[in-house]
Amino acid sequence: MRIRVLIADDQELVRTGLSMILDAQPDIEVVGQASDGDQAVALARSLRPDVCLFDIRMPGIDGIEATRAIAGPGVEDPMNVVIITTFDLDEYVYAALRAGAKGFLLKDAGSELLGQAVRAAASGDALIAPNVTVRLLETFASTAPAAPLPQPVEPLTEREEQVLAAVARGLSNSEIAAELYITLSTVKTHVASLMTKLAARNRVEIAIWAYQTKRVSARS
């Protein structure tokens, strides 16, 4: 079955370009386009796509509020949202991830990475563009409101710390498996354990926690 995608961006050329790229993929189909946040939420709820691609800055409610409305805490049957943005230091990206987005990409990420992000989100995983992961997450984690940071319900194992650092760098499960010389199923087990211990909904929140707690940094 093809992955059904909804695209929301206030620029028609961007919507058209993303749609052409995704429709060219044999396993992906664009089922709707929205030009503002209100329309994006309405279409998402009516079409129930497998993945929503939302721009951060849109008329009406922005990408953050649109994400929160369909994927935020307390939402029944949350949808998969990937944020797309022009700037790798967009001041709203951190808030969007906290609102429930499963990942983010730059609009010039290219067709291969765009396809990977859509497939990852559709499978319940998340992809953070490697070229912006460290700079953006570290920046916004360091400027997040001061508050006691959540601690793991159980201490992380040495291997979990390694997987944590790799996730925070934006590596996929396959890349982590290759780097740590472990099987893909073992990586998935460690990621699932991290989510449980950190009360994280997805790997994006795992990455955010890693930067917030200074477990990793740009020099890692």
Side-chain angles (χ1 to χ4, degrees), residues 43-44 55 57 72 108 141 143 146-147 159 168 180 205 215:
L43 281 177
D55 186 20
R57 294 168 176 167
D108 62 357
T143 58
R159 182 64 85 185
L180 299 181
E205 292 192 354
R215 286 295 220 282

Side-chain angles (χ1 to χ4, degrees), residues 120-175:
S123 65
D125 206 341
L127 185 146
I128 308 171
N131 60 324
V132 298
T133 298
V134 171
R135 289 172 57 196
L136 193 148
L137 280 179
E138 185 177 58
T139 297
F140 291 105
S142 66
T143 58
L149 294 172
Q151 296 302 311
V153 294
E154 295 179 20
L156 304 187
T157 66
E158 181 179 354
R159 182 64 85 185
E160 286 171 347
E161 292 279 4
Q162 294 171 342
V163 173
L164 174 75
V167 168
R169 285 162 46 212
L171 299 189
S172 67
N173 285 349
S174 297
E175 290 169 332

Side-chain angles (χ1 to χ4, degrees), residues 39-213:
Q39 185 183 23
V41 172
L43 281 177
R45 287 173 172 165
S46 63
L47 297 174
R48 296 296 304 183
D50 300 304
V51 178
C52 298
L53 284 178
F54 284 176
D55 186 20
I56 285 284
R57 294 168 176 167
M58 294 187 287
I61 64 172
D62 61 19
I64 297 170
E65 291 304 318
T67 298
R68 185 175 292 113
I70 66 170
V75 173
E76 258 188 70
D77 195 16
M79 286 181 252
N80 302 314
V81 179
V82 174
I83 294 297
I84 50 175
T85 181
T86 303
F87 307 104
D88 61 356
L89 288 179
D90 192 313
E91 63 182 345
Y92 299 115
V93 172
Y94 177 82
L97 297 177
R98 296 301 297 174
K102 287 203 166 181
F104 64 85
L105 293 174
L106 296 182
K107 290 181 181 178
D108 62 357
S111 58
E112 183 176 352
L113 195 57
L114 179 62
Q116 289 177 10
V118 167
R119 294 183 186 96
S123 65
D125 206 341
L127 185 146
I128 308 171
N131 60 324
V132 298
T133 298
V134 171
R135 289 172 57 196
L136 193 148
L137 280 179
E138 185 177 58
T139 297
F140 291 105
S142 66
T143 58
L149 294 172
Q151 296 302 311
V153 294
E154 295 179 20
L156 304 187
T157 66
E158 181 179 354
R159 182 64 85 185
E160 286 171 347
E161 292 279 4
Q162 294 171 342
V163 173
L164 174 75
V167 168
R169 285 162 46 212
L171 299 189
S172 67
N173 285 349
S174 297
E175 290 169 332
I176 295 172
E179 181 171 287
L180 299 181
Y181 300 101
I182 55 180
T183 65
L184 185 60
S185 62
T186 299
V187 175
K188 292 180 178 178
T189 297
H190 287 312
V191 171
S193 179
L194 285 169
M195 289 174 62
T196 298
K197 289 184 176 182
L198 304 178
R201 291 172 296 174
N202 51 56
R203 67 197 296 127
V204 174
E205 292 192 354
I206 291 174
I208 291 172
W209 184 87
Y211 284 99
Q212 284 181 319
T213 58

